[in-house]
Amino acid sequence: MITGTGGVGKTCLAADYCRRAADGADGGVDVLIWVTANTMPAVTGAYAQAARKLELVPSNENAASAAEQFLNWLRVTDRSWLIVLDDVQSPGALEGLWAPRNAAGHGRVIVTTRSRERDFVTSSGHRFLSVGVFTPEESLTHLLNTLQRPIPAGADTELAGLADDLGHLPLALSRASAYLDYNASCSIARYRRLLKDRRLTLERLVPAVRGSAPTSSLVALWDLSVDQADQHTSMLARPMLELAAVLDGTTGIPAPLFTSDAARDWLTERSRTDQLVDEFEAEHTLATLDRLHLIDHTPSEGCDDAWLVHVHQLIQRAVREQQPLGSSPDIRAQRLNTVLPAAAHALLDIWPETGHDQDHAQRLRASARSLATHDQDGESHPLWQDDTAYTLLFRLGTSAGESGDIFWARAHFDALRSLAHQHLGADHPHALFTRSELSRWQSQAGDHSGAVQTLENLEADHIRLLGYEAPETLVTRHNLAIERGETGDTHGTVAALTQILAARQRIGASRGAVLATLHNLSYWKGVAGDAAGAAATYRELLPVMEEEFGADADGTLTARHNLARWLGEAGDPAEAASLLEALLPDQKRALGPRHPRVLFTRQSLSRWRGEAGEMDTAIDGYQELILDMSEVLGPDHPELLTARHNLAHLQAQIDPAAAAVVLAAVIADRTRVHGPHHPATLTTRHSHALCLGWAGNPQKAVQALEDILRDQRRHLAPEDSGTLSNRHSLAHMRGFAGAPQAAIAELQELLHDQKRILSPGHPQVLATFDTLGHWQGATGDAQAASNTYQDLLIHIERYLGPDHLATLSALDKLAMWRGRAGHPREAVSILTRMLTDTRRLVDPADPNVSIINNNIAGWLKQADIEERRRRR
């Protein structure tokens, strides 16, 4: 028994077997009968005709009696026989007509059917062969063997694409070959373009062979099965297939969609029943469609509780194109215009507000994208004609972006902005929402200037429509402040968020809105340079956020991530890594292990492990992360490019020349994705230039850093922190390139600007003090160097605290330069404090303790020498 959907070649397999049997293969056959067995009278008539030809009954014997005599003869004859029962619709169609087992074993029966083999288990006892579509390799071989036209070299790619377009269905491939041979002027590439044109039907593009029966077309082929399914489901099969025909049947449609309230409303409406279709009837209809191979209703791989519905793409197209006899040409379009909103509502019914099952979310998005494509095919845009069906398009874009497909989400909301304006009006709340979401994904894609422009226009409209302090306006102002910060105006962001916080408190905004503003205000204070203050605020904020939102809420988890960041930025990378290690399992439980935010936390963890000195662990973490990010987010995601940049930056400490090669590739990709003057591109160019210097070519590094600085001043805000950082690196490299006095002059000018632009305790300010002291000392001005390191120590103690670990490095360098400036006793005093702090803050057994003791002994000896010299 051969089972499978229409068009997979069941009849061809049976016919090939018959030819070989007739030619004498496998012992040959004496009696061969082929029956189109889709009805009981057809089988009875064929058996009766065979009985008459074999002269088992008189020519005038009635059909039923003659068929019975034929079956009896099959049971006892010693002649070999083969019966093919083609296209049996159900076991009941052969009740009493199954060919009997021959006592001598001379008989064979082949049955082809579209029904699942389980339907025949109790009826026949035959062995089963389930036939599906071709594999890609089989499809290509079939096309190469059947096409009669000359096939140009290199056409395999187009032919493989054609096979994909036709879903590897054998009958469709054969019909396509026939069409291409008949229409020799049509190239394979053009034929594929025609197949994608939904204005053209399968009847025209994959026609039946000339002279064949009308029922041999692909549409008619499956229509027979649909009619049969309708007979067993109170006319529910066709409307259910209509739903499935506009969704993604290849990826798999979640089965609960077909039993949702919206789906059952659609079934009720289309079947014109007086009573609402219940879940049992919907499930029975799914089972019937599955039994007839019109769909595949199977458990999801790895999850028996989640069932999926797969539908061949040509069956879907045939269902969409089916047009009742006598109906107008517009009927098909009208039906599509009604089924699209119904399918959208069904998807919304089963789409969770939050979900951690990434595979399930991906299937929902695939079907939503299918609906969006159908909606865009015509000019009517049926999803927008329904009161709420179009909101599925918003859910699609947000879900795609949150899954990591940020560039698609940006383009999607850009298109929705125009559609919402056209169908809802520019001032409709949902039209305004599309612009807000567009700005979100512009930002995520790194287009912060574009996000600022979108939000500035949206802010003006919100103020015009709702007022300056309306909740919706405050949300837009809040987002705009953040985006301006991303373009470099950090102090403006802090000021704007402070105003918004006051406004929300004044108008009695929800506690959640106030906490969200506090959260972001704390973050941007950290960006502006107060890392320690940001960390302290987050420690206070976290328990309040857990109480308000819950421990697993996105905002709470993000706050924990930010606390770790600012502790790291404030000089405690080990504590930052420890907090992120604790955060990861909670994020995985709340969001799923492959959620983008989990990947971003892994990136931060690798960063702080590297800062804490765990180089090997950090490098391994980045390498594993980059593989996972490539798979989940795609090769151009900004966070993946950041991970590649960070890994190379870390490896530069080991092999700067090799890291420079890697960073050059990141520069190329960031230039392609973001453009040559985007802050992220400039950051990677900055790191690449430093690697050139560290690899032994400081002159080349200076040239590269000068080029970057010129681009930064031309394309970034005047006080951008990246520009300040590059000025520091440029001055440092000038020193290495043999111009330490120029380095000192540039660092002194930079320090003045940093104190004006950044907070006095900002890490960049402290780094500039350190570098300035280094080059002052390198030129032999020990007194100036010691003065600079004294200022550095004062800044650390004042803004980071006297117990900050950074004080130890400052004390060490201060002691060295005070001693070299002729004050060895002061050096001993400074080192004595450093020894006490090291034992207290780090570890009494720290290896640096012995080094400090040796240095103390050295400066004591130097002090004694100088005292003896003075006495003489």
Side-chain angles (χ1 to χ4, degrees):
M1 185 167 295
I2 306 173
T3 179
T5 191
V8 294
K10 302 183 299 296
T11 300
C12 290
L13 278 174
D16 182 68
Y17 186 86
C18 288
R19 278 193 297 270
R20 288 190 292 109
D23 291 340
D26 298 325
V29 64
D30 297 323
V31 178
L32 193 156
I33 301 175
W34 184 287
V35 185
T36 301
N38 48 19
T39 65
M40 186 177 289
V43 179
T44 302
Y47 285 176
Q49 184 180 4
R52 295 183 188 110
K53 285 193 174 184
L54 291 168
E55 299 181 351
L56 303 178
V57 296
S59 60
N60 59 354
E61 186 79 16
N62 68 71
S65 175
E68 184 178 357
Q69 291 297 321
F70 176 69
L71 290 171
N72 289 334
W73 178 81
L74 293 176
R75 189 176 289 109
V76 299
T77 185
D78 58 0
R79 298 174 68 182
S80 61
W81 52 265
L82 171 62
I83 298 176
V84 178
L85 301 171
D86 187 36
D87 198 21
V88 176
Q89 293 189 356
S90 67
L94 295 181
E95 187 175 354
L97 295 173
W98 285 104
R101 293 191 179 277
N102 181 270
H106 295 305
R108 286 169 285 178
V109 179
I110 295 177
V111 177
T112 72
T113 180
R114 302 182 197 189
S115 289
R116 299 281 178 188
E117 57 266 25
R118 57 181 174 264
D119 295 341
F120 289 86
V121 169
T122 58
S123 302
S124 67
H126 286 85
R127 289 181 299 173
F128 289 89
L129 173 64
S130 185
V131 180
V133 297
F134 283 157
T135 65
E137 294 77 15
E138 290 169 339
S139 294
L140 181 58
T141 300
H142 181 76
L143 287 171
L144 291 171
N145 289 339
T146 55
L147 277 169
Q148 300 301 309
R149 60 158 62 186
I151 300 175
D156 284 9
T157 301
E158 283 292 348
L159 288 174
L162 174 59
D164 284 338
D165 297 340
L166 296 172
H168 304 281
L169 188 75
L171 180 60
L173 295 171
S174 297
R175 298 277 176 83
S177 295
Y179 178 91
L180 287 167
D181 285 332
Y182 175 77
N183 188 359
S185 64
C186 181
S187 69
I188 298 169
R190 182 169 182 271
Y191 183 59
R192 292 187 63 198
R193 291 194 296 271
L194 292 174
L195 279 173
K196 289 179 173 61
D197 188 342
R198 300 193 193 212
R199 295 170 298 179
L200 301 174
T201 65
L202 285 176
E203 295 279 4
R204 296 180 63 186
L205 293 171
V206 193
V209 178
R210 289 196 168 199
S212 59
T215 57
S216 67
S217 73
L218 283 175
V219 174
L221 178 73
W222 291 307
D223 207 40
L224 293 171
S225 295
V226 178
D227 285 340
Q228 184 182 350
D230 263 342
Q231 294 170 17
H232 295 281
T233 59
S234 302
M235 307 303 290
L236 298 178
R238 191 176 298 277
M240 183 169 281
L241 265 183
E242 288 171 347
L243 273 183
V246 294
L247 302 170
D248 191 319
T250 302
T251 301
I253 308 163
L257 178 142
F258 296 97
T259 57
S260 66
D261 290 344
R264 290 186 288 112
D265 286 343
W266 165 257
L267 295 175
T268 302
E269 176 188 342
R270 286 283 287 124
S271 61
R272 295 181 176 83
T273 60
D274 296 331
Q275 200 168 10
L276 178 67
V277 172
D278 60 26
E279 288 190 27
F280 175 81
E281 290 175 289
E283 289 170 354
H284 174 69
T285 303
L286 275 180
T288 302
L289 292 171
D290 177 63
R291 180 173 64 82
L292 293 173
H293 271 107
L294 288 165
I295 65 171
D296 286 311
H297 186 206
T298 56
S300 174
E301 184 176 348
C303 183
D304 291 343
D305 292 336
W307 283 65
L308 300 175
V309 171
H310 291 88
V311 195
H312 193 280
Q313 62 211 56
L314 294 185
I315 295 180
Q316 289 182 298
R317 185 164 181 172
V319 170
R320 294 195 302 267
E321 293 177 358
Q322 194 276 337
Q323 183 172 314
L325 290 175
S327 61
S328 69
D330 294 334
I331 289 295
R332 186 169 62 228
Q334 292 172 6
R335 189 170 66 244
L336 193 63
N337 287 350
T338 57
V339 72
L340 288 181
H345 284 294
L347 269 174
L348 288 169
D349 276 354
I350 66 167
W351 203 313
E353 289 295 330
T354 58
H356 311 144
D357 186 341
Q358 295 297 308
D359 290 337
H360 179 64
Q362 193 273 337
R363 293 187 189 100
L364 293 174
R365 288 194 298 273
S367 280
R369 288 184 184 187
S370 176
L371 287 183
T373 301
H374 287 297
D375 184 66
Q376 294 162 12
D377 275 348
E379 298 179 358
S380 60
H381 299 291
L383 292 181
W384 293 90
Q385 307 310 314
D386 182 276
D387 288 342
T388 56
Y390 60 82
T391 60
L392 175 74
L393 303 176
F394 302 165
R395 185 75 62 89
L396 165 61
T398 300
S399 178
E402 290 177 348
S403 75
D405 201 353
I406 54 177
F407 297 105
W408 188 90
R410 178 179 63 177
H412 178 72
F413 276 106
D414 199 14
L416 289 188
R417 174 177 58 175
S418 299
L419 287 169
H421 188 135
Q422 174 186 344
H423 294 286
L424 304 177
D427 293 341
H428 191 282
H430 282 152
L432 299 174
F433 172 78
T434 61
R435 294 160 63 189
S436 177
E437 280 294 284
L438 171 60
S439 72
R440 175 186 179 186
W441 300 114
Q442 286 174 317
S443 173
Q444 290 289 313
D447 182 13
H448 299 295
S449 58
V452 167
Q453 183 176 354
T454 299
L455 287 166
E456 284 176 342
N457 294 334
L458 183 60
E459 179 191 38
D461 287 338
H462 269 140
I463 292 171
R464 173 176 58 83
L465 295 168
L466 304 170
Y468 189 67
E469 291 191 349
E472 296 86 349
T473 306
L474 289 174
V475 169
T476 300
R477 289 171 56 194
H478 181 278
N479 294 340
L480 177 57
I482 290 172
E483 288 308 311
R484 284 175 172 158
E486 294 288 359
T487 61
D489 186 11
T490 54
H491 292 291
T493 294
V494 170
L497 289 174
T498 301
Q499 291 178 357
I500 292 165
L501 177 62
R504 281 181 161 168
Q505 291 171 330
R506 184 168 56 252
I507 67 173
S510 69
R511 189 184 188 202
V514 171
L515 288 174
T517 307
L518 277 170
H519 179 177
N520 284 289
L521 180 57
S522 301
Y523 176 85
W524 284 100
K525 283 181 176 178
V527 174
D530 188 7
T537 304
Y538 271 115
R539 284 198 190 279
E540 297 175 0
L541 197 57
L542 257 174
V544 183
M545 294 185 73
E546 287 183 358
E547 178 186 345
E548 177 67 19
F549 304 120
D552 289 342
D554 286 347
T556 307
L557 296 172
T558 301
R560 290 174 61 187
H561 183 278
N562 289 347
L563 170 60
R565 171 181 176 174
W566 297 120
L567 284 170
E569 299 282 6
D572 195 349
E575 177 65 10
S578 177
L579 289 179
L580 292 169
E581 286 171 352
L583 172 61
L584 260 180
D586 293 340
Q587 275 190 322
K588 288 178 179 178
R589 185 190 67 254
L591 303 173
R594 295 168 65 80
H595 193 282
R597 289 195 190 95
V598 174
L599 300 178
F600 303 159
T601 297
R602 288 171 57 191
Q603 174 157 213
S604 295
L605 177 57
S606 293
R607 174 195 174 186
W608 294 117
R609 279 174 171 166
E611 294 281 350
E614 301 177 43
M615 290 288 292
D616 291 342
T617 303
I619 288 173
D620 289 345
Y622 270 124
Q623 288 172 338
E624 293 175 6
L625 175 65
I626 287 169
L627 292 175
D628 291 343
M629 279 187 162
S630 298
E631 184 178 342
V632 175
L633 304 177
D636 291 340
H637 194 284
E639 289 294 335
L640 172 59
L641 298 177
T642 297
R644 290 170 55 197
H645 171 278
N646 289 350
L647 173 59
H649 189 74
L650 199 61
Q651 291 172 323
Q653 299 178 46
I654 303 169
D655 187 346
V661 174
V662 176
L663 286 168
V666 179
I667 290 170
D669 288 338
R670 277 189 156 166
T671 300
R672 175 174 50 79
V673 173
H674 297 306
H677 304 124
H678 189 276
T681 308
L682 294 170
T683 297
T684 305
R685 288 172 60 191
H686 179 194
S687 293
H688 179 260
L690 290 177
C691 284
L692 295 176
W694 296 334
N697 196 340
Q699 291 84 2
K700 194 170 184 179
V702 167
Q703 180 63 55
L705 290 168
E706 286 176 339
D707 292 342
I708 295 165
L709 183 60
R710 185 164 48 252
D711 287 342
Q712 286 173 322
R713 285 173 166 162
R714 187 179 300 135
H715 298 284
L716 302 183
E719 299 179 345
D720 182 78
S721 61
T723 305
L724 298 175
S725 177
N726 190 57
R727 288 172 61 189
H728 174 273
S729 296
L730 175 57
H732 202 23
M733 279 297 161
R734 282 200 202 283
F736 285 117
Q741 294 296 345
I744 291 170
E746 289 183 10
L747 288 166
Q748 288 172 333
E749 181 183 354
L750 172 63
L751 195 57
H752 174 77
D753 290 341
Q754 285 178 326
K755 288 180 179 180
R756 174 176 54 84
I757 296 168
L758 306 173
S759 66
H762 194 283
Q764 284 197 32
V765 175
L766 304 181
T768 301
F769 268 118
D770 190 12
T771 306
L772 175 60
H774 168 83
W775 288 113
Q776 287 170 329
T779 59
D781 192 349
Q783 184 62 49
S786 69
N787 291 342
T788 297
Y789 280 111
Q790 183 65 53
D791 287 342
L792 172 60
L793 181 62
I794 291 170
H795 275 73
I796 292 173
E797 291 178 329
R798 180 178 299 166
Y799 299 108
L800 301 183
D803 291 338
H804 197 281
L805 291 176
T807 59
L808 300 178
S809 175
L811 287 167
D812 185 37
K813 294 173 182 177
L814 174 60
M816 179 178 69
W817 292 113
R818 290 303 289 166
R820 292 184 181 182
H823 307 286
R825 291 287 178 188
E826 290 185 29
V828 169
S829 176
I830 294 167
L831 287 170
T832 301
R833 175 191 162 182
M834 180 184 175
L835 180 64
T836 302
D837 287 352
T838 299
R839 286 170 170 162
R840 179 171 56 88
L841 299 175
V842 184
D843 185 349
D846 188 278
N848 287 318
V849 169
S850 62
I851 297 173
I852 298 169
N853 278 320
N854 289 336
N855 289 339
I856 291 173
W859 287 117
L860 281 173
K861 183 177 180 180
Q862 182 66 33
D864 289 342
I865 292 172
E866 291 187 5
E867 284 183 10
R868 285 197 297 270
R869 186 182 298 129
R870 281 196 298 271
R871 290 193 192 112
R872 287 198 299 267

